[in-house]
Amino acid sequence: MLAGLLVVIAVGLVVVLAVRRRRARGFHSPIVEEFAEVPLVVRGLRKAYGDGFVAVERVDFTVGRGQVVGLLGPNGAGKTTTLRVLMGLTMPTEGDALVFGHRLVPGAPILSRVGALVEGPGFLPHLSGLANLQAYWRATGRALADARFDEALEIAGLGDSIHRRTKNYSHGMRQRLAIAQAMLGLPELLVLDEPTDGLDPPQIAEMRRVLKRYATDGRAVLVSSHLLAEVEQTCTHAVVVHKGRIVASGPVDDIVGDSPSVQLEVSDVPAAEQVLADLGVRSVTPDGVSGLIVDMNGTPRADVVASLVRAGVGVDRVVPRRRLEDAFLALVGDNSRGSGDR
């Protein structure tokens, strides 16, 4: 009986060692040299489930250094599935992702160069915000000196609340703490799923500034968001996914294209609306106290300004107004709504 037990133990050890060797080979797979300096390359990604549902049909895109890339798409387009594959939370059916030339697999060492917030934050409720961050960093096995806590906490902007138990945090506070956690160590690639969820307008504006600042010194950001106006103001590039496929990819300005709309800052909004209506301008939308968003309807901008000035309306500012929302709806259709982003 003892001999039989020893045989079982020996076989178990052989299996464990074999698995470890196989994993080690996967973890240290040869680097793809042409992408060694590229934060993220996604190649031919496909994810199908056993019930036949295809969440991602084919996705290819690149996130370069210094870029803030917005991952956009209606519900059910495959955004969250793509992010889950990138973080090793689910395995793709086909294709792969490379981080600085290293194939991304669960537990790969290259993940130490990636910070992520995917599918919402999770914290130990009995610990303070700071204690949660410290526990998370210790679990990575890296030195505390490398965590850059001060910079991450400045980003979170929680003040003295960082010392309160997270069970007393609002949703917005937990979201900010999760973003700070993702930024610990200032990873070279940051992946955020709906980072502005639960934030109020001033916090959203600050997040916009944070992401722009973050993508400096060779770092890069991939952010999934449904707030198209924020993506337009924050992101340098966008990837639009629809029904599991990419329908547009590139610089935001190229995707938006030329817009017939302008933003006007005027001294008298009601008077300006009347002048524009007399000119036959198609639509006039209020934008704040002294602003108007105007669809020029082919009317030269100089004629609009001249007509306003002749009517005694002061014009302080005239700028083209890009509309990512318009381009997005043109790409995916305004009736393309799914039941969820699987």
Side-chain angles (χ1 to χ4, degrees), residues 245-297:
R245 290 182 176 272
I246 290 179
V247 293
S249 177
V252 170
D253 289 353
D254 290 353
I255 292 175
V256 173
D258 294 330
S259 171
S261 298
V262 297
Q263 182 175 353
L264 298 174
E265 295 290 336
V266 296
S267 61
D268 187 336
V269 170
E273 288 179 322
Q274 184 58 55
V275 171
L276 294 168
D278 293 342
L279 284 174
V281 171
R282 185 165 48 200
S283 62
V284 179
T285 305
D287 183 36
V289 176
S290 62
L292 290 172
I293 296 171
V294 180
D295 186 336
M296 301 299 286
N297 195 25

Side-chain angles (χ1 to χ4, degrees), residues 50-328:
D51 60 2
F53 176 75
V54 179
V56 176
E57 184 64 45
R58 182 179 177 89
V59 168
D60 303 83
F61 65 91
T62 298
V63 178
R65 290 185 183 273
Q67 294 181 353
V68 180
V69 179
L71 183 62
L72 310 176
N75 288 339
K79 301 187 303 296
T80 298
T81 299
T82 298
L83 294 184
R84 285 177 56 83
V85 170
L86 296 184
M87 291 300 98
L89 299 175
T90 187
M91 296 300 294
T93 307
E94 296 176 16
D96 61 8
L98 302 174
V99 173
F100 294 106
H102 294 272
R103 186 169 176 268
L104 204 58
V105 295
I110 196 63
L111 284 169
S112 65
R113 299 171 69 177
V114 181
L117 167 59
V118 178
E119 295 192 336
F123 298 106
L124 297 173
H126 65 287
L127 295 181
S128 69
L130 179 59
N132 266 284
L133 294 184
Q134 291 170 335
Y136 167 82
W137 190 257
R138 281 195 295 269
T140 69
R142 286 173 279 177
L144 285 178
D146 296 334
R148 313 283 284 271
F149 281 110
D150 290 344
E151 288 152 285
L153 293 178
E154 182 181 358
I155 290 166
L158 289 168
D160 291 338
S161 296
I162 195 67
H163 302 293
R164 290 171 50 194
R165 294 180 179 180
T166 56
K167 69 178 181 180
N168 298 319
Y169 277 20
S170 66
H171 176 71
M173 292 169 68
R174 285 194 296 271
Q175 189 76 2
R176 286 152 64 192
L177 185 66
I179 291 166
Q181 179 174 284
M183 292 182 177
L184 283 178
L186 300 184
E188 294 166 86
L189 174 63
L190 192 61
V191 179
L192 302 176
D193 187 13
E194 299 287 354
T196 56
D197 181 36
L199 303 186
D200 57 31
Q203 293 167 346
I204 292 175
E206 177 59 25
M207 178 55 55
R208 185 192 313 147
R209 290 188 288 270
V210 165
L211 295 182
K212 286 182 176 179
R213 289 198 307 267
Y214 196 87
T216 58
D217 300 326
R219 293 192 294 269
V221 179
L222 174 64
V223 55
S224 167
S225 178
H226 68 282
L227 300 178
L228 298 181
E230 284 305 312
V231 169
E232 186 169 356
Q233 296 181 70
T234 305
C235 297
T236 61
H237 295 68
V239 176
V240 183
V241 183
H242 184 42
K243 296 182 179 179
R245 290 182 176 272
I246 290 179
V247 293
S249 177
V252 170
D253 289 353
D254 290 353
I255 292 175
V256 173
D258 294 330
S259 171
S261 298
V262 297
Q263 182 175 353
L264 298 174
E265 295 290 336
V266 296
S267 61
D268 187 336
V269 170
E273 288 179 322
Q274 184 58 55
V275 171
L276 294 168
D278 293 342
L279 284 174
V281 171
R282 185 165 48 200
S283 62
V284 179
T285 305
D287 183 36
V289 176
S290 62
L292 290 172
I293 296 171
V294 180
D295 186 336
M296 301 299 286
N297 195 25
T299 305
R301 199 178 309 169
D303 291 354
V304 169
V305 173
S307 296
L308 290 169
V309 172
R310 280 197 300 270
V313 178
V315 180
D316 299 322
R317 188 167 178 256
V318 182
V319 294
R321 187 173 188 272
R322 296 190 305 272
R323 292 293 304 275
L324 180 59
E325 181 179 0
D326 295 338
F328 176 82

